[in-house]
């Protein structure tokens, strides 16, 4: 049966034969509704599967809104909130969008509770030139419109493909493609770089 | 702009996008699954039963706690496809696997095991897995061949899978482990972390990374999924190759292709190359993650454990001491 992760290294390739659940990060949850139902009934292993599949999307959403140093903590808070409130989710197929909304609301609360709520605090690089450049680019991405910002961070930070972004967010692949294209165009403009010629 | 590359990295890489991936990819992080609270139970609405229900709840909690603390000596197994076997008995739908028993799937069967009260393991076709031990705080499988997918919600260090080429200790979350008949293996971590140990060799594998295992040499160096094939080949050669010329070429490839985000790979390789080659790896790692104050180049080149651990701590993947606290002692080959 077909594999889902094959690492041909010039040596004997290792495959995961016959698997529908593998380490392939682009895979979709085979039965999201059943997984959500299992979580509702208290199945923590089922929730761990959801966590594994959606954690990068949530990380990207929060990274676009709160200081880098606090993102990991807030990711965990978002999932704890989702776990305790999952009975409120009426349509299991909307899990990704529902979870994303929790993340956006949590980021809003975070900023509201911050002492200087008007602007996102500037990131403070540790002195490393690459880190400084990374955080400078991140600040520029954060100024893009929400849809472009989130989609670009999922692609450029989290390494998600367009199909995977669509599957997790609930957006259509066409919308994701447009967000990526337009977001990248705006980012290039902000960075002052010309698109590469084909 | 190369939209195919932007979409799914297919086609020729767009240099600007590739550069942004390298730069922003440094911000990637997968925090471990948090400890989950009890989900809200549906509350009774009739006051008259309050005392009775409270009493019943206490009894259930005590009973549940005792049950959890004892941890059943056999685990529930469900057939997902086909007819898996436990020992010589065919599993029709549900059954139990006891310590010492082996679950076997053929090319058409698949099974799911409830790992005591701490998670689940999906067993793929053509797999043999044995339950080695289960007790409070310690649950162990032996994967003799094939593939399993583990999702564990227990605190780190409680779930262990041994193979002929490594012992995988779960440090919280989800991974896939495959092992061939000859003991050659591959671990891919999807969330959390896994520590691989064997014959005094250890690999600390974070989410998004994979590591091969060798039946006599043990765990290889982890690499992230976005590393290209040549980089992976070179890491394999440095881990398990013996030809000096090929190893020299492999080192050159690694140094040439090491990008931001490959610090985990470089850190592991420092211990695994010849002394003469360490300088170059130390330089490459220092380009990505500065050597912390108090760590000297001399100490790193001498493979001083404390110095290497301090540098690991600077990678932002958790404290080395934390990893080792939970990692299983380094065993020899599985009997």
């Amino acid at each position: 049966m077909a594999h889902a992760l094959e690492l041909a290294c010039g040596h004997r390739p290792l495959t995961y034969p016959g698997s529908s659940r593998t380490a392939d990060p682009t895979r979709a949850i085979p039965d999201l509704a059943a997984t959500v139902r299992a979580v509702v009934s208290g199945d923590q292993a089922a929730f761990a599967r959801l966590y594994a599949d959606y954690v990068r999307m949530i990380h990207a959403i929060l990274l676009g809104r709160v200081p880098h140093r606090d993102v990991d903590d807030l990711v965990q808070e978002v999932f704890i909130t989702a776990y305790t409130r999952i009975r409120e989710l009426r349509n299991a197929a909307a899990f990704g969008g529902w979870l994303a909304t929790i993340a956006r609301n949590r980021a809003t609360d975070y900023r509201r509770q911050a002492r200087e709520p008007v602007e996102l605090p500037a990131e403070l690089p540790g002195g490393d030139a690459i880190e400084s450049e990374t955080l400078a680019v991140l600040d520029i991405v954060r100024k893009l419109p929400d849809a472009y910002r989130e989609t670009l961070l999922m692609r450029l930070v989290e390494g998600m493909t367009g199909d995977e972004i669509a599957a997790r967010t609930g957006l259509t692949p066409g919308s994701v493609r447009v967000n990526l294209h337009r977001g990248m165009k705006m980012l290039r403009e902000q960075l002052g770089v010309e698109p590469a010629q084909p | 702009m190369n939209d195919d590359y932007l979409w799914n990295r297919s086609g020729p890489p767009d240099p600007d996008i590739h550069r942004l991936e390298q730069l922003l990819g440094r911000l990637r992080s997968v925090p471990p699954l948090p400890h989950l609270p009890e989900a809200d139970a549906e509350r009774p609405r009739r006051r008259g039963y309050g005392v009775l229900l409270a009493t019943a709840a206490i009894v259930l909690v005590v009973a549940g706690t005792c049950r959890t603390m004892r941890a059943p000596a056999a685990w529930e197994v469900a057939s997902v496809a086909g007819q898996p076997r436990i020992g010589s008995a065919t599993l029709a739908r549900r059954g139990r696997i006891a310590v010492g028993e082996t679950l076997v799937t053929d090319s058409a069967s698949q099974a799911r095991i409830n790992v005591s009260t701490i998670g689940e393991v999906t067993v793929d076709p053509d797999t043999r897995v044995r339950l080695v031990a289960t007790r409070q705080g310690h649950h162990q499988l032996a994967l003799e061949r094939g593939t399993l997918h583990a999702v564990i919600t227990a605190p780190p260090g409680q779930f262990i899978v041994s193979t002929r080429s490594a012992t995988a200790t779960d440090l919280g979350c989800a991974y896939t482990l495959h092992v061939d008949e000859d003991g050659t293996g591959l671990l891919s971590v999807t969330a959390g972390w896994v520590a691989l140990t064997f014959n005094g060799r250890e690999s600390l594998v974070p989410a998004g990374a994979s590591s091969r295992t060798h039946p006599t040499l043990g765990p290889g160096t982890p690499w992230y999924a976005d590393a290209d094939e040549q980089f992976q080949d070179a890491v394999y050669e440095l881990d398990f190759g013996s030809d000096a010329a090929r190893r020299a070429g492999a080192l050159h490839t690694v140094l040439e292709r090491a990008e931001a985000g490959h610090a985990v790979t470089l850190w592991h390789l420092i211990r695994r190359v010849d002394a003469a080659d360490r300088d170059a790896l130390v330089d490459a790692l220092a380009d990505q993650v500065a050597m912390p104050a108090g760590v000297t180049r001399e100490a790193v080149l001498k493979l001083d454990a404390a110095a290497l651990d301090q540098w690991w701590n600077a990678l932002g993947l958790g404290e080395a001491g934390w990893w080792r606290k939970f990692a299983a002692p380094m065993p020899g080959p599985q009997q």
Side-chain angles (χ1 to χ4, degrees):
Chain A
M1 175 73 188
H3 62 85
L5 177 63
E6 181 167 350
L7 299 164
C9 292
H11 314 281
R12 191 150 72 97
L14 283 164
T15 60
Y16 298 151
S19 170
S20 59
R21 288 191 56 225
T22 75
D24 179 357
T26 64
R27 70 184 169 81
I29 295 180
D31 189 345
L32 182 59
T35 305
V36 169
R37 278 198 303 275
V39 175
V40 169
S41 68
D43 183 345
Q44 295 197 351
F47 189 76
R49 288 201 297 276
L50 292 176
Y51 183 85
D53 281 351
Y54 286 88
V55 65
R56 289 179 303 148
M57 175 187 82
I58 296 306
H59 188 269
I61 290 172
L62 291 169
L63 186 63
R65 288 172 162 80
V66 302
H68 179 218
R69 64 174 182 273
D70 291 330
V71 170
D72 282 2
D73 287 345
L74 292 177
V75 167
Q76 296 200 331
E77 287 182 25
V78 166
F79 277 93
I80 288 173
T81 301
Y83 182 73
T84 55
R85 290 174 48 191
I86 200 160
R87 286 189 177 84
E88 299 170 17
L89 176 62
R90 293 185 177 180
N91 175 11
F95 177 78
W98 177 74
L99 189 65
T101 302
I102 292 175
R104 293 183 193 113
N105 289 342
R106 183 65 191 90
T108 302
D109 289 344
Y110 173 95
R111 296 184 64 179
R112 199 175 286 144
Q113 290 160 5
R115 289 185 179 179
E116 300 291 340
V118 179
E119 289 295 331
L120 187 64
E123 299 284 5
L124 297 174
D128 175 327
I130 297 175
E131 185 183 354
S132 299
E133 189 181 359
T134 299
L135 296 178
V137 173
L138 176 63
D139 279 342
I140 292 171
V141 176
R142 282 170 168 166
K143 292 182 174 67
L144 299 177
D146 285 359
Y148 302 161
R149 176 205 322 164
E150 290 182 358
T151 313
L152 277 182
L153 290 175
M154 286 179 212
R155 171 65 185 82
L156 298 173
V157 175
E158 312 297 335
M160 297 166 70
T161 65
D163 282 326
E164 191 184 5
I165 294 168
R168 296 294 179 269
T169 58
L171 294 171
T172 64
S175 296
V176 173
R177 193 178 283 275
V178 167
N179 288 347
L180 283 175
H181 184 85
R182 291 184 182 167
M184 195 63 213
K185 184 167 179 287
M186 289 181 72
L187 181 57
R188 282 185 203 274
E189 289 167 2
Q190 297 292 322
L191 293 170
V193 295
E194 295 292 326
Q197 294 304 313
Chain B
M1 181 172 14
N2 182 347
D3 272 355
D4 287 340
Y5 186 77
L6 181 59
W7 180 251
N8 61 6
R9 289 205 193 105
S10 63
D14 180 304
D16 292 336
I17 297 171
H18 186 57
R19 170 72 181 140
L20 285 166
E21 285 179 308
Q22 287 184 311
L23 207 57
L24 292 172
R26 292 166 57 94
L27 300 170
R28 188 181 309 159
S29 158
V30 180
L33 178 71
H35 292 298
L36 299 171
E38 291 301 317
D40 289 343
E42 298 217 6
R43 293 184 175 82
R45 292 181 171 79
R46 297 184 65 179
R47 291 182 183 178
Y49 293 109
V51 174
L52 183 61
L53 288 169
T55 306
I58 291 168
V59 170
L60 285 173
V61 166
V62 171
T65 303
C66 291
R67 181 170 161 267
T68 303
M69 289 179 67
R70 278 203 303 271
W75 296 349
E76 291 178 6
V77 183
S79 172
V80 175
Q83 293 189 320
R85 286 185 293 115
I86 295 176
S88 57
T90 300
L91 182 66
R93 291 185 60 190
R94 290 186 171 276
R96 295 179 76 80
I97 182 170
V99 170
E101 290 185 322
T102 301
L103 171 68
V104 182
T105 56
D106 60 18
S107 61
S109 58
Q110 193 178 17
R112 182 170 297 125
I113 303 172
N114 284 340
V115 180
S116 183
T117 55
I118 64 167
E120 68 177 33
V121 166
T122 302
V123 179
D124 274 358
D126 290 324
T127 297
R128 283 180 63 89
V129 63
R130 179 163 47 89
L131 177 53
V132 175
T134 180
R135 59 180 183 272
Q136 175 68 13
H138 178 83
H139 308 280
Q140 184 167 2
L141 289 171
L143 178 61
E144 296 173 3
R145 69 151 192 267
T147 305
L148 61 77
H149 312 275
V151 179
I152 301 298
T153 57
Q158 294 197 5
F159 179 67
I160 293 166
V161 179
S162 52
T163 73
R164 283 178 57 193
S165 51
T167 296
T169 303
D170 173 87
L171 301 176
C173 223
Y175 64 86
T176 293
L177 183 61
H178 172 84
V179 64
D180 282 344
E181 291 277 6
D182 68 358
T184 304
L186 174 65
L187 166 78
S188 293
V189 181
T190 46
W193 300 269
V194 173
L196 289 175
T197 52
F198 184 83
N199 276 353
R201 190 156 158 165
E202 69 175 4
S203 288
L204 310 178
V205 189
S210 298
S211 177
R212 289 176 180 276
T213 61
H214 187 281
T216 55
L217 298 175
T221 295
W223 76 88
Y224 278 108
D226 58 2
D228 64 35
E229 286 184 12
Q230 282 174 285
F231 186 85
Q232 293 178 27
D233 276 356
V235 169
Y236 183 94
E237 189 64 42
L238 289 171
D239 278 335
F240 307 128
S242 55
D243 181 272
R246 289 173 64 98
R247 286 175 62 83
L251 180 63
H252 179 75
T253 301
V254 164
L255 295 172
E256 189 179 62
R257 292 179 170 270
E259 299 174 344
H262 289 165
V264 166
T265 303
L266 298 174
W267 183 88
H268 278 83
L269 284 175
I270 287 175
R271 291 178 194 265
R272 294 170 186 185
V273 298
D274 298 332
D277 294 330
R278 273 180 215 138
D279 259 314
L281 279 168
V282 169
D283 286 340
L285 179 56
D287 283 347
Q288 296 194 16
V289 179
M291 204 178 283
V295 175
T296 66
R297 186 181 187 85
E298 277 185 349
V300 172
L301 290 174
K302 286 179 183 169
L303 302 185
D304 178 85
L308 282 165
D309 280 0
Q310 272 185 268
W311 207 353
W312 169 273
N313 296 346
L315 302 189
L317 293 167
E319 300 280 317
W322 182 88
W323 287 79
R324 293 211 185 82
K325 179 180 172 187
F326 298 110
M330 301 170 183
Q334 171 198 323
Q335 299 301 308

